[in-house]
Amino acid sequence: TTGNKIFHFGACRVSMSMAEIRAGFTAIKANIQARDPIRTLSILSYPHSLHKVKSSDRCCITHHLLNFYVGKVFKHCKTEDLYVNRKISSIANSFLSMKRKLGQCHEQNRCRCGQESTEKLKQILANYEGLNVTSAAMKSLGELDILLDWME
Amino acid sequence: EDASLPAPQNISILSTNMKHFLTWTPVMVQGETVRYSVEFQGEYERVYGGESWIPISECSPIAATVCNITEDISATVAYRLRVRAQLGARTSPWATLKGFFNRITTSLTPPVMKVIADGYHLLVELEDMGPAFQFRVLYWKKGQERRVQQKVLKEVSSVLHLDTMEAGADYCVKAQTYVEAINRSSSFSQTQCVRAQGGTPMWL
């Protein structure tokens, strides 16, 4: 099926079409990652992998990472390749849809941010701001499968 | 930009079973083939992307007056669509679809279904409608309408075994589709009934 799943992030239940996002990303992954020359650095996984995050912090991290991608990353990923831009639009609009669903739960205070998630988010932003904006955005987009794997 | 060409008219969406098409009425220029270009704008582009528009290359340009936009309408958000005519260097103003299109409004038709009695086995064949579709199949023994059973198919395999039937009994089946991405179901198909083999021959 579209792989539309019900995700449990703490107390939040959100249905998301992961397969459509993955299909969009897989179609452009090689192109995007080829634009990221600095392979030794990571935005999402430095210094610690997302998988180290406690499950109670999953909702907060997911909520803020969706905001991060929608608010910061996608807008700096425009390329000269129309096909790539269409797929980025597809992913961005799916993230926007997810962000809204999870945002509703966040507003109902069922998506708390603990100390650990706050630290992790700070680190991700520091990693991001340590690069020039286009490189940081392309690297973050190229790491989307890390995020999707972790979310699933 | 010489915009002397009239803009296309009657822009509309035809959306059935998660397949979405933009259509418009042609711009007529005597003895000439007018071509068209189509662009879309998702909610992300409107809110975060500076209201940018994205061309659909398969429809930029085309001579037909219909464009399959399914691949680009890939999130459950509000999209805007526009089309313009072009003839050589001449282009028309953009004509924009009135309002927005969200795939949640697609019309869902009941699935095409074939029920088979294979000896004592009750089988059903369902049309493959694409990855977005799941199926809910209801079946019951005729006369026992209160004891309806259900099977949910997340993926279409060629034939689904529903039940082993009692000899000579009649069984009825109906099905509907479900699209998780928009959380909607179609109406049910027509009920189809079949009879299991065996039972007391009529002449006894």
Side-chain angles (χ1 to χ4, degrees):
Chain A
T1 74
T2 60
N4 211 74
K5 291 186 185 171
I6 304 291
F7 284 80
H8 297 265
F9 298 109
C12 294
R13 287 175 77 254
V14 177
S15 124
M16 296 188 196
S17 311
M18 271 309 188
E20 284 178 315
I21 295 169
R22 269 199 194 278
F25 179 66
T26 304
I28 59 171
K29 178 177 175 178
N31 182 300
I32 294 297
Q33 292 184 346
R35 297 168 190 264
D36 174 16
I38 319 163
R39 303 300 302 171
T40 50
L41 278 179
S42 168
I43 302 284
L44 296 181
S45 303
Y46 175 82
H48 304 303
S49 149
L50 277 171
H51 294 280
K52 288 210 178 288
V53 168
K54 283 199 307 250
S55 63
S56 57
D57 280 309
R58 267 169 57 82
C59 184
C60 165
I61 294 250
T62 304
H63 171 68
H64 284 282
L65 283 181
L66 290 175
N67 283 347
F68 167 68
Y69 272 89
V70 168
K72 276 185 175 293
V73 173
F74 293 128
K75 67 175 72 174
H76 296 298
C77 292
K78 210 157 203 119
T79 74
E80 73 300 332
D81 184 321
L82 181 53
Y83 177 75
V84 170
N85 292 345
R86 285 164 73 184
K87 291 301 171 190
I88 291 172
S89 166
S90 164
I91 296 167
N93 279 286
S94 293
F95 265 52
L96 180 58
S97 179
M98 284 197 294
K99 169 177 140 49
R100 184 173 301 133
K101 290 177 189 172
L102 196 52
Q104 287 155 8
C105 191
H106 187 265
E107 276 145 31
Q108 296 151 13
N109 266 322
R110 294 186 286 132
C111 190
R112 293 191 175 288
C113 290
Q115 172 68 22
E116 186 173 326
S117 44
T118 307
E119 287 306 320
K120 182 61 184 172
L121 291 163
K122 269 190 204 155
Q123 181 65 61
I124 288 171
L125 283 179
N127 295 343
Y128 187 85
E129 264 128 35
L131 299 172
N132 79 69
V133 68
T134 305
S135 304
M138 276 302 173
K139 179 178 278 299
S140 303
L141 181 56
E143 294 184 3
L144 207 66
D145 47 358
I146 294 173
L147 174 60
L148 299 178
D149 291 346
W150 174 72
M151 284 169 74
E152 287 198 285
Chain B
E1 191 175 313
D2 171 4
S4 56
L5 271 180
Q9 301 288 312
N10 305 314
I11 322 289
S12 66
I13 293 270
L14 296 175
S15 175
T16 305
N17 292 331
M18 296 293 267
K19 295 273 191 297
H20 322 299
F21 297 86
L22 185 74
T23 69
W24 56 91
T25 44
V27 171
M28 307 305 286
V29 176
Q30 189 68 35
E32 300 278 4
T33 303
V34 173
R35 286 184 167 70
Y36 307 92
S37 290
V38 177
E39 294 187 343
F40 73 94
Q41 180 191 81
E43 191 165 344
Y44 172 82
E45 283 74 33
R46 249 185 336 283
V47 177
Y48 295 90
E51 306 213 356
S52 56
W53 290 85
I54 300 175
I56 298 180
S57 31
E58 291 82 358
C59 300
S60 300
I62 48 169
T65 56
V66 58
C67 172
N68 184 345
I69 59 174
T70 304
E71 193 176 331
D72 291 294
I73 307 294
S74 54
T76 307
V77 295
Y79 283 86
R80 296 188 68 201
L81 291 132
R82 68 181 186 182
V83 56
R84 75 176 171 186
Q86 62 193 70
L87 182 57
R90 293 159 60 194
T91 56
S92 78
W94 286 104
T96 305
L97 177 72
K98 274 196 195 63
F100 299 97
F101 172 65
N102 188 318
R103 65 180 183 177
I104 207 165
T105 61
T106 193
S107 70
L108 295 176
T109 61
V112 173
M113 175 184 80
K114 185 177 163 196
V115 179
I116 304 157
D118 179 6
Y120 297 113
H121 296 291
L122 178 61
L123 309 176
V124 66
E125 245 178 52
L126 287 157
E127 163 199 18
D128 184 352
M129 299 175 73
F133 288 80
Q134 297 174 37
F135 297 88
R136 183 164 163 248
V137 182
L138 303 186
Y139 56 98
W140 62 94
K141 185 179 169 188
K142 213 167 195 179
Q144 295 186 3
E145 278 68 16
R146 298 169 72 90
R147 293 179 56 198
V148 174
Q149 297 184 70
Q150 158 179 304
K151 276 197 170 142
V152 173
L153 272 87
K154 299 240 176 189
E155 257 132 34
V156 173
S157 53
S158 53
V159 176
L160 171 69
H161 181 273
L162 290 178
D163 211 346
T164 302
M165 302 184 280
E166 291 167 26
D170 288 331
Y171 285 75
C172 299
V173 181
K174 65 180 180 181
Q176 68 178 157
T177 64
Y178 173 65
V179 180
E180 215 164 16
I182 57 175
N183 194 25
R184 280 184 46 219
S185 296
S186 72
S187 52
F188 274 102
S189 63
Q190 292 279 324
T191 297
Q192 291 180 36
C193 300
V194 291
R195 175 165 298 175
Q197 77 173 23
T200 329
M202 298 295 286
W203 53 86
L204 288 184

